[in-house]
Amino acid sequence: MYIKKILALILVLAFVLLPFQNVYATGKVFALNPDPVSSGMGDSGVALMSSYATGAALNPASTVGVYRTVATLAVSNITGNIQYDYASVAFLFLLGVFGASIMYVDYDTGDYLDNIGGTINNLGPSYDISAILNYSLPLKRFLPTFIDYGGFGASLKFIRSSLADYISEAVAFDFGGLVTIPTLKYLSLGFAIKNIGTYQKYVKEQFNLPQTLTFGLGFTYEDFYNVKVALDFNSMKDYEDYTCIG
C-alpha cells in the first residue's frame, strides 16, 4: 500500500504539471543525453543513481551508484549523416568515483555550397569533440546502520568545434547533487546545472552553450524488478523549458 501511494503521487504530479510545460528537444549537440537508461526513460532521471559511466552526462552526481570499474559506449545516427559517438569510463576509489568521457560528432557535410549552389572546394570538416572529466562523492553512513544519502558531483568539459575552416573552443562545468530521503527510503531528489562556461565563437559571432538547470524527483524499488520512476523539470537559458517523465 505504501509503494502504491508513492507511485500514485508521482503520476499525479506528472499529469498535473505536464500541461503547463512546453516539451522541447534542443538541437544543440552538447545538450544531448548519451545515457542508455535515461534515454529509455524519456531523458529523465536526474534524481536517480546510475551504474553507468554515461550517467554523469545527465547528472555529475549520479555516478555515486557506480560500485566497480565500468565502461560505456554509445553510438547513434542522429539524423541524415550526423554520427554521434560517446565513450565513458568510471573508476571507484576510496575518495569517490572518477570518470572520463569523450564525445565526437561527425557532421559528414560532403560538398559545401555557395549561395547559388556552386561547390566550394578545399574546406575543412565540420565536427564537435569534447573531453570530459567527472568526479562524484558519495555520502554514506555505515554505523550503527548503513544509510546511503546520495552525493554530489562535478564535471569539467573541454570543447572544440569545427565549422569548415572555422574553429571554436570552449570550457564548461556541470554541477549536480542527489539526495535520498531516509524517512522515505524509496524517494530521491536531484538537481544539475550544466554547461556553465565560456562562449563558442566563430569569427566575431558568439554563441551560448545550452545552459540547463534541472530539478527532479526519483522513485526506486529494488525488490520488484528494480523499478524506477523519474520526473524532471528542465529550465534552459536560451530555449524553452520542458518536462521529462519515465
Side-chain angles (χ1 to χ4, degrees):
M1 183 64 68
Y2 177 68
I3 303 301
K4 291 181 179 178
K5 288 181 178 179
I6 294 177
L7 284 172
L9 174 62
I10 294 174
L11 291 175
V12 168
L13 284 173
F15 286 108
V16 169
L17 294 171
L18 275 173
F20 297 97
Q21 301 291 326
N22 294 317
V23 178
Y24 180 81
T26 176
K28 294 291 186 179
V29 71
F30 298 109
L32 293 179
N33 178 17
D35 183 63
V37 176
S38 175
S39 296
M41 297 176 66
D43 285 342
S44 64
V46 74
L48 298 176
M49 293 186 187
S50 176
S51 58
Y52 291 90
T54 47
L58 186 69
N59 183 348
S62 70
T63 53
V64 295
V66 171
Y67 60 91
R68 59 177 179 174
T69 299
V70 294
T72 311
L73 175 64
V75 178
S76 60
N77 185 276
I78 299 176
T79 181
N81 295 323
I82 302 176
Q83 183 68 34
Y84 179 88
D85 303 321
Y86 199 102
S88 296
V89 62
F91 306 90
L92 176 62
F93 291 92
L94 290 176
L95 298 178
V97 180
F98 293 87
S101 305
I102 186 165
M103 183 206 77
Y104 181 76
V105 182
D106 182 6
Y107 293 95
D108 190 20
T109 51
D111 294 332
Y112 294 95
L113 304 178
D114 58 25
N115 292 334
I116 60 174
T119 301
I120 304 175
N121 298 317
N122 301 319
L123 289 181
S126 293
Y127 62 84
D128 288 308
I129 187 169
S130 178
I132 304 117
L133 300 176
N134 171 254
Y135 172 72
S136 61
L137 176 65
L139 300 179
K140 302 178 181 180
R141 189 183 75 181
F142 294 92
L143 295 174
T145 58
F146 175 79
I147 298 179
D148 192 339
Y149 291 104
F152 297 92
S155 296
L156 172 62
K157 303 177 181 180
F158 301 95
I159 298 168
R160 180 181 175 90
S161 299
S162 172
L163 181 60
D165 288 333
Y166 299 98
I167 302 296
S168 173
E169 295 180 339
V171 177
F173 292 90
D174 293 351
F175 302 97
L178 194 157
V179 179
T180 59
I181 306 173
T183 55
L184 300 171
K185 68 175 186 177
Y186 303 109
L187 291 178
S188 56
L189 303 174
F191 75 91
I193 305 171
K194 294 183 288 186
N195 294 315
I196 304 300
T198 60
Y199 295 97
Q200 285 189 296
K201 184 177 181 179
Y202 294 99
V203 190
K204 296 182 179 180
E205 190 169 0
Q206 295 185 128
F207 302 91
N208 286 321
L209 293 171
Q211 297 177 8
T212 309
L213 174 62
T214 304
F215 292 97
L217 174 67
F219 171 85
T220 303
Y221 189 55
E222 296 179 352
D223 297 334
F224 184 73
Y225 299 101
N226 196 25
V227 170
K228 297 178 184 291
V229 180
L231 177 64
D232 291 1
F233 306 94
N234 300 270
S235 176
M236 303 191 74
K237 181 178 179 181
D238 298 315
Y239 303 93
E240 297 181 41
D241 299 342
Y242 63 100
T243 300
C244 303
I245 185 171

